[in-house]
Amino acid sequence: MDRSVRSIRQPAAVQGLEEAIVESVSESGVLITSPNGIERASQAVSCLIKPCQGDTVLLLRVAPSRLYILAILERTAASGRDVALEFTGSVSISSAEEVTIASKHTKLAGQQLDLVGRDLSLTSNTLKSYSDTTVLSSKTMKIASQTLNVVGQHMSRHLKSFVSMVAGNEVRKAGNVTSQVSDFKLDQSRHSIIDVRKDLKIDAERIHMG
């Protein structure tokens, strides 16, 4: 046999804890180098960190052919500093007190993301939201801002009642303005100026001036 080829053996080892080196990781299991040679081991459910090639792991031998990786003892620089937690089913984190996740960059990714809470607070210097469609539904909504800019190609509002109160100046600039009122329209002001450069047309059944 070629001495450069190492075979997978199933030795009659003593049960207990051992230290091993991860050779490779695949869906079928983890190949490790133990004091008995190259063997195949499974990741224990309690070992949350996914093993990587080159990791030093704590191995539990419950039978000659049944080995479980209990923990990652050491990760070399060649394996990288990244740590992955992988689960095959649902994961639940429960605490009677506060849960804090702190990092330089936190990313949440999923096909569907639900945030449910009695009170939800977002605090940020800059808040950005990108989506194809955004739907906001609320019994009461309040927007308070020192400066509010709304920019879009089209904007429509469908309201039962609309009240606008501006304490200072209101300026409107448009190419064309059309107002359609089905019943009654009232414009009240202390002073009013209508400045028309060309034509002014007033069409009504009765016109009262004075």
Side-chain angles (χ1 to χ4, degrees):
M1 178 183 293
D2 188 354
R3 294 182 179 272
S4 63
V5 178
R6 295 182 292 179
S7 61
I8 298 178
R9 299 183 296 161
Q10 304 294 342
V14 180
Q15 299 180 8
L17 297 176
E18 304 174 18
E19 185 178 298
I21 303 297
V22 176
E23 296 292 337
S24 64
V25 181
S26 64
E27 295 182 358
S28 59
V30 182
L31 288 182
I32 53 96
T33 299
S34 71
N36 297 309
I38 298 292
E39 301 182 85
R40 189 179 301 278
S42 300
Q43 183 177 349
V45 177
S46 60
C47 182
L48 302 181
I49 300 177
K50 182 181 179 180
C52 293
Q53 183 180 7
D55 285 352
T56 302
V57 298
L58 180 63
L59 198 68
L60 174 64
R61 188 185 299 275
V62 297
S65 59
R66 291 180 60 195
L67 294 88
Y68 292 94
I69 297 176
L70 299 183
I72 310 298
L73 300 179
E74 186 178 10
R75 177 158 292 177
T76 62
S79 301
R81 300 175 59 187
D82 295 339
V83 176
L85 304 180
E86 290 191 356
F87 307 93
T88 56
S90 300
V91 178
S92 176
I93 300 176
S94 178
S95 174
E97 298 297 333
E98 184 178 286
V99 176
T100 301
I101 299 176
S103 68
K104 185 178 180 180
H105 183 184
T106 302
K107 181 178 180 180
L108 299 177
Q111 273 191 324
Q112 182 174 341
L113 183 62
D114 297 328
L115 297 177
V116 181
R118 183 176 178 180
D119 297 307
L120 181 62
S121 177
L122 296 177
T123 303
S124 174
N125 291 331
T126 303
L127 180 62
K128 298 180 180 180
S129 176
Y130 302 97
S131 66
D132 292 335
T133 302
T134 301
V135 179
L136 299 177
S137 178
S138 175
K139 186 177 180 180
T140 302
M141 182 177 296
K142 181 179 180 181
I143 300 176
S145 174
Q146 187 174 358
T147 302
L148 181 62
N149 296 322
V150 179
V151 180
Q153 190 171 1
H154 301 285
M155 181 177 179
S156 61
R157 294 180 295 186
H158 301 273
L159 305 169
K160 186 176 180 179
S161 300
F162 179 71
V163 178
S164 176
M165 292 183 290
V166 181
N169 298 323
E170 179 176 342
V171 179
R172 294 182 181 181
K173 185 177 181 180
N176 297 286
V177 176
T178 301
S179 298
Q180 293 181 346
V181 181
S182 59
D183 190 10
F184 179 75
K185 181 180 180 182
L186 174 64
D187 291 329
Q188 288 182 330
S189 66
R190 186 175 180 181
H191 302 285
S192 181
I193 298 175
I194 300 177
D195 186 3
V196 181
R197 299 301 172 87
K198 287 189 177 181
D199 299 327
L200 176 62
K201 180 180 179 181
I202 301 176
D203 189 2
E205 186 177 344
R206 291 190 303 270
I207 298 177
H208 298 276
M209 305 291 291

